[in-house]
Amino acid sequence: MNSPNLLRLVILVACAHGLVHVYELSLPSVEQQIADDFYTNDVAAGKAMTGLMSNSWRFTWGMGALVAGWLVDRFGGRRMLAIYLFGCSAMCALLTLCLTASSMFAVMLIMGAFASIYHPAGLALLSHHTRPENRPRALGLHGIIGSAGIGGAPLIAWLVFQAGFSWRAYYLLLAVPVS
């Protein structure tokens, strides 16, 4: 990656990759606190609620990638990556305002759909802007930062809780990257 512009692009796309995995693991990182907040007297109902929310997020994340791939081909990776970032950020902000489990369920469903855009858009950008000789390094960096995002979600949650804040503050923090 001899070009500074290419390096910037790779780092930006890789950071968006890390962030999609933070978004992916955001609910599992705080689900106990959410369940306690909504179902203080019924632990089983709280776990069932957050389990269904997590399932809905992942369902739209997985199935939405099929549509997202078509949209990336039609509108381009950069534009779709911006939609993913703004959409997930907005859904995180909206989660902080949810007062019912059903509203949270709806927001999680939509957030999963926005997150489904990342992999088709990010990988398309990397494959279109790299050459065969620098693509492995670009994809390696992409993978490393994506993996850091997997560990980042629970770490961020722990830091937020250690500071005395709630799961709502956690999601508000996740809304910041694109705000």
Side-chain angles (χ1 to χ4, degrees):
M1 290 180 281
N2 297 337
S3 161
N5 288 338
L6 179 59
L7 183 59
R8 271 194 296 277
L9 175 71
V10 169
I11 290 171
L12 218 92
V13 171
C15 287
H17 185 216
L19 195 55
V20 81
H21 288 298
V22 170
Y23 289 138
E24 173 196 9
L25 294 172
S26 62
L27 179 59
S29 298
V30 299
E31 69 181 326
Q32 292 173 341
Q33 290 75 13
I34 292 172
D36 289 347
D37 206 13
F38 284 91
Y39 293 96
T40 52
N41 296 328
D42 191 349
V43 174
K47 287 181 181 178
M49 175 198 74
T50 57
L52 284 172
M53 276 185 217
S54 186
N55 185 286
S56 71
W57 197 101
R58 283 188 168 78
F59 179 78
T60 54
W61 189 41
M63 297 306 288
L66 295 171
V67 176
W70 179 81
L71 291 170
V72 168
D73 287 342
R74 186 168 173 92
F75 299 108
R78 286 180 195 258
R79 184 176 292 148
M80 294 307 297
L81 205 57
I83 291 170
Y84 140 69
L85 288 166
F86 285 108
C88 283
S89 180
M91 292 304 104
C92 284
L94 196 55
L95 274 170
T96 67
L97 304 174
C98 289
L99 299 176
T100 65
S102 57
S103 62
M104 285 191 70
F105 182 83
V107 171
M108 287 292 176
L109 197 70
I110 296 166
M111 188 172 154
F114 279 118
S116 74
I117 297 169
Y118 172 73
H119 283 100
L123 292 172
L125 275 170
L126 290 180
S127 64
H128 288 135
H129 291 280
T130 57
R131 295 185 315 271
E133 60 270 11
N134 60 17
R135 192 168 298 134
R137 185 175 304 146
L139 291 173
L141 183 60
H142 174 263
I144 289 168
I145 295 177
S147 295
I150 292 170
L155 176 63
I156 295 166
W158 179 79
L159 291 169
V160 167
F161 296 146
Q162 287 299 309
F165 295 105
S166 72
W167 66 268
R168 291 182 193 276
Y170 174 77
Y171 277 106
L172 191 58
L173 186 62
L174 294 185
V176 169
V178 187
S179 300

